[in-house]
Amino acid sequence: MTWLLAFDTATDVVTVAVGRDGVPVATVAVDSARTHAEQLVPAVHRCTTEAGVALDRLDAIAVGVGPGRFTGLRVGVTTAKVMADALGIPVIGLSTLAVLAAPWVAPDREVVSVIDARRREVYWARYRAGPAGPVPAAPEAVAPPAEVAAAVAERGPSAWVVGDGALRHRDLFAATGAHLADAAAAVPGAGALVALGTARLAVAPAGSARALVPVYLRESDAAINWEQAARGPST
Amino acid sequence: MLVLGIETSCDETAAAVVEVPPGASAPIGLRIRSSVVSSQVDLHARYGGVVPEVASRAHVEWIVPVVADALAEAGVGLDRIDAVAATSGPGLAGALLVGVSAAKALALVAGVPYVGVNHLEAHCNAGWLEQPELGTPLAVLLVSGGHTLLVGVDAPGTHRVLGGTVDDAAGEAFDKVARFLGLGYPGGPVIDRLARTGDPGAVAYPRAMPGTLDCSFSGLKTAVVQHVRAHPDVAVADVAASFQEAVVDQLVSKLALAADAAGAATLVLGGGVAANSRLRERTAALAAETGRAVFLPPPALCTDNAAMIAATGAVRLVADGPTPLDAGVDPGLGLGPG
């Protein structure tokens, strides 16, 4: 029996799941805009208690590493790596974009995952069906939504668009002719987290907790701003 | 009882294990079993100051090895830890969240209480860790890149704020002036070093807010900039020495007022600027002139460290009980009465 704790904090929703042999047995989802640090650990506690599994019985922890909100990502990745290191179990970093796409990819359908990146940009990637979940057909990137919509339009009506970025820019993506998934497909799902985490655990050695970092895709804005300010008058 | 402390409020990733006598209600009689600090100073040097996003990213990379080192140096596993404390404010929001998330995760795994700690209160407690015999009341000058505070301590573990800066922190003034003079970052050590070869009386920079317990440093920074622009040939060492003297003059005169207000028996320095050699010299002289004792903690206890967080966490756990796991961070937290 394989017990997996999985969570994602890259979007406004904190999703936590406990899976047994690849199937979720307990899930908690909290809509928590800016309060991931408050919500995550209590949600993990609720979820493991509901699943009836002691933390020291867990075989691995899977966490969404983004891209997404920087602050949320740091809360999730820090919690996952610290717990995994303390428990002496592997930690698996999952792409939040792949988790979003996982429930929807099919042999005759590509899925474009779009996460709101604020500042008039989105994080996105394109996936097709593979033997153990979604396989990237285009790498993760950050771009203006119109550019992503143009790429979606090229795929034609067989493409699906999912994620909170798709909902935020609904008009733009509706005009592409692609199928626009509803709110249920806007945030990472517990089932996909458990399925992808378990599949990864089976095929690849999990990474070291120390090396796990969020996928930011964007340079530190603060560093860029600082450099711009430093070029101005220094009084 | 063993308390694991975590500090990530600014640009140091730190963890420590402190041994506490059972039921300790004051930060006295504690033993530091380990104290590990990983400084990011090199990461921020190119920006001339701490960049919050850069600091937050580095904390995520360092938190696991720093905690592991603290446990290893203390010679204990997580199963021996009785509580986990972390700085929950004040500080940089994104940086605080890393330490708090780590502490909650460890508390959950170990099945022990989590305690959120006020960073400023911890600085006030730091002196006791090195010198348990301090004669109260204390007048504490807490002075760093983020804070400039005068605090009265009537008994171990208590504090009342007597005054503080109304604008920049003193350490911030050192960084800004060093950047303007092209001396690099951090500004404190480089100005301290350069000032030794300069004349502190060369330029009469202003001493702000005389006769009050509050401080101000933004006007001083502007005065230095204007003076150097008007006198481009001035010796940089003289500017450094005169600027430092103006900062130290202001701090020491306020500390003298605070000591009177607190009826202090002992003067104590804390914070990164407490490593400044001129400030230490002048504080010792003030103590001698006014017949008070003085305690100048070693720089490792003045600057941000997790031993003071663990010690304060132990005291707070006894006084207030555990902090709920759904508590957040408070970047603007002040030092209230306590």
Side-chain angles (χ1 to χ4, degrees):
Chain A
M1 196 184 292
T2 302
W3 287 100
L4 179 78
L5 169 65
F7 45 84
D8 187 286
T9 54
T11 69
D12 285 345
V13 174
V14 171
T15 306
V16 183
V18 171
R20 189 179 54 213
D21 297 328
V23 179
V25 294
T27 65
V28 173
V30 192
D31 194 340
S32 64
R34 294 173 59 86
T35 59
H36 296 77
E38 285 93 327
Q39 304 289 353
L40 179 59
V41 168
V44 165
H45 182 60
R46 271 208 309 284
C47 206
T48 52
T49 304
E50 195 186 313
V53 62
L55 293 177
D56 59 7
R57 298 267 319 275
L58 292 173
D59 294 290
I61 296 176
V63 61
V65 295
R69 318 270 187 277
F70 290 176
T71 296
L73 288 178
R74 280 192 278 269
V75 169
V77 167
T78 300
T79 303
K81 69 197 287 188
V82 168
M83 284 188 72
D85 189 69
L87 291 165
I89 58 176
V91 64
I92 300 153
L94 298 174
S95 160
T96 301
L97 289 165
V99 172
L100 276 171
W104 314 104
V105 286
D108 57 350
R109 179 201 301 156
E110 284 194 350
V111 175
V112 176
S113 295
V114 188
I115 294 175
D116 182 16
R118 312 248 161 99
R119 301 178 45 219
R120 286 174 288 178
E121 288 187 316
V122 293
Y123 304 113
W124 74 292
R126 188 159 53 82
Y127 296 91
R128 60 173 69 103
V135 177
E140 297 177 341
V142 59
E147 201 176 292
V148 180
V152 169
E154 274 177 33
R155 313 311 301 175
S158 69
W160 279 40
V161 186
V162 301
D164 64 5
L167 292 187
R168 169 98 186 248
H169 303 283
R170 181 190 296 275
D171 294 347
L172 208 50
F173 286 101
T176 63
H179 176 85
L180 191 54
D182 62 12
V187 295
L193 277 167
V194 169
L196 286 189
T198 307
R200 275 276 298 283
L201 191 61
V203 297
S208 132
R210 297 188 179 206
L212 188 72
V213 288
V215 172
Y216 295 105
L217 285 191
R218 248 195 324 221
E219 274 307 297
S220 153
D221 293 340
I224 295 163
N225 293 343
W226 194 287
E227 279 168 354
Q228 285 167 348
R231 282 196 289 272
S234 57
T235 47
Chain B
M1 174 165 113
L2 292 178
V3 179
L4 172 64
I6 295 176
E7 154 64 34
T8 62
S9 67
C10 190
D11 62 339
E12 324 276 7
T13 314
V17 175
V18 169
E19 191 174 336
V20 185
S25 59
I28 290 187
L30 283 60
R31 189 159 81 89
I32 301 174
R33 293 275 297 259
S34 67
S35 183
V36 175
V37 179
S38 171
S39 175
Q40 306 172 3
V41 67
D42 295 345
L43 285 180
H44 299 282
R46 60 187 286 232
Y47 306 115
V50 175
V51 181
E53 178 63 23
V54 172
S56 303
R57 290 185 181 194
H59 286 309
V60 177
E61 290 178 38
W62 284 104
I63 190 69
V64 169
V66 166
V67 168
D69 285 357
L71 289 170
E73 280 182 26
V76 297
L78 183 63
D79 56 344
R80 292 278 315 283
I81 296 297
D82 299 293
V84 185
T87 305
S88 57
L92 305 170
L96 289 166
L97 283 170
V98 175
V100 163
S101 295
K104 289 181 181 181
L106 289 166
L108 184 70
V109 169
V112 300
Y114 156 72
V115 190
V117 168
N118 182 323
H119 181 84
L120 299 172
E121 183 184 351
H123 267 301
C124 292
N125 286 337
W128 304 107
L129 286 170
E130 180 77 13
Q131 178 50 274
E133 306 293 318
L134 295 176
T136 51
L138 315 180
V140 182
L141 171 61
L142 174 55
V143 59
S144 71
H147 315 287
T148 302
L149 268 184
L150 289 152
V151 184
V153 174
D154 295 327
T158 71
H159 54 263
R160 57 196 165 102
V161 176
L162 301 170
T165 184
V166 298
D167 42 51
D168 291 355
E172 207 177 342
F174 273 97
D175 287 339
K176 285 177 174 173
V177 166
R179 182 150 55 109
F180 170 71
L181 295 174
L183 299 175
Y185 171 85
V190 66
I191 286 180
D192 192 353
R193 212 160 41 240
L194 191 59
R196 285 174 207 159
T197 64
D199 173 8
V203 192
Y205 291 129
R207 274 69 169 159
M209 310 187 79
T212 75
L213 280 161
D214 285 328
C215 314
S216 165
F217 296 101
S218 73
L220 172 58
K221 176 202 66 192
T222 306
V224 172
V225 170
Q226 286 173 347
H227 171 260
V228 171
R229 284 189 175 149
H231 304 85
D233 297 332
V234 68
V236 176
D238 286 347
V239 174
S242 301
F243 160 75
Q244 176 177 275
E245 200 63 16
V247 173
V248 171
D249 251 358
Q250 194 183 153
L251 290 173
V252 172
S253 66
K254 309 296 178 172
L255 179 58
L257 293 173
D260 289 343
T266 308
L267 308 180
V268 180
L269 293 183
V273 180
N276 180 275
S277 64
R278 187 68 179 144
L279 179 60
R280 292 172 89 87
E281 204 175 287
R282 294 277 309 275
T283 302
L286 172 68
E289 283 160 23
T290 56
R292 293 184 166 100
V294 63
F295 180 60
L296 307 171
L301 272 181
C302 290
T303 50
D304 288 350
N305 67 87
M308 68 183 191
I309 303 302
T312 305
V315 172
R316 281 287 146 215
L317 182 60
V318 170
D320 309 331
T323 304
L325 288 175
D326 63 358
V329 300
D330 188 352
L333 184 65
L335 184 62

